[in-house]
Amino acid sequence: MKKGIHPDYREVVFHDLSSDYKFLTRSTVQTKDSIEFEGKTYPLVKIEVSSQSHPFYTGKNVLLDTAGRVDKFRKRYGTKENATPTSQPTSQS
């Protein structure tokens, strides 16, 4: 590898803010924050979602606001009663 052209690959602590979970891994991400973790000081990266908080990995279902989506659709495009009838194709003989 050429010297001086690659980012610094170092140990970094990622902190999942939603579940307060911290884990140590290696990364090239640049950050100004630091944290003391397991007796050493490491750069800190704050994240919103990790495997500890993501519904796919935790098995927790996320309840979607489907009723709100339906109402929004009906408000935007109208309901079936308000819809204009489309012309039926005529068969040509």
Side-chain angles (χ1 to χ4, degrees):
M1 281 195 320
K2 289 185 178 180
K3 301 286 183 197
I5 64 168
H6 298 285
D8 186 25
Y9 187 63
R10 61 197 174 156
E11 290 184 324
V12 177
V13 172
F14 284 85
H15 181 201
D16 182 352
L17 299 174
S18 61
S19 66
D20 198 34
Y21 177 71
K22 298 175 187 135
F23 59 95
L24 180 66
T25 188
R26 295 182 55 92
S27 177
T28 60
V29 68
Q30 299 298 315
T31 181
K32 294 179 183 178
D33 298 328
S34 63
I35 189 171
E36 185 154 331
F37 185 73
E38 297 178 351
K40 287 182 69 179
T41 302
Y42 297 101
L44 173 67
V45 177
K46 298 175 184 173
I47 56 177
E48 297 293 324
V49 177
S50 72
S51 61
Q52 293 296 315
S53 62
H54 194 280
F56 180 80
Y57 297 104
T58 61
K60 296 179 184 174
N61 291 331
V62 176
L63 180 61
L64 296 176
D65 182 20
T66 55
R69 290 182 183 188
V70 171
D71 292 339
K72 185 176 178 182
F73 178 84
R74 287 186 178 154
K75 181 179 176 185
R76 180 179 289 170
Y77 298 108
T79 60
K80 201 171 191 179
E81 295 83 33
N82 297 340
T84 58
T86 58
S87 60
Q88 297 293 327
T90 58
S91 61
Q92 295 189 6
S93 305

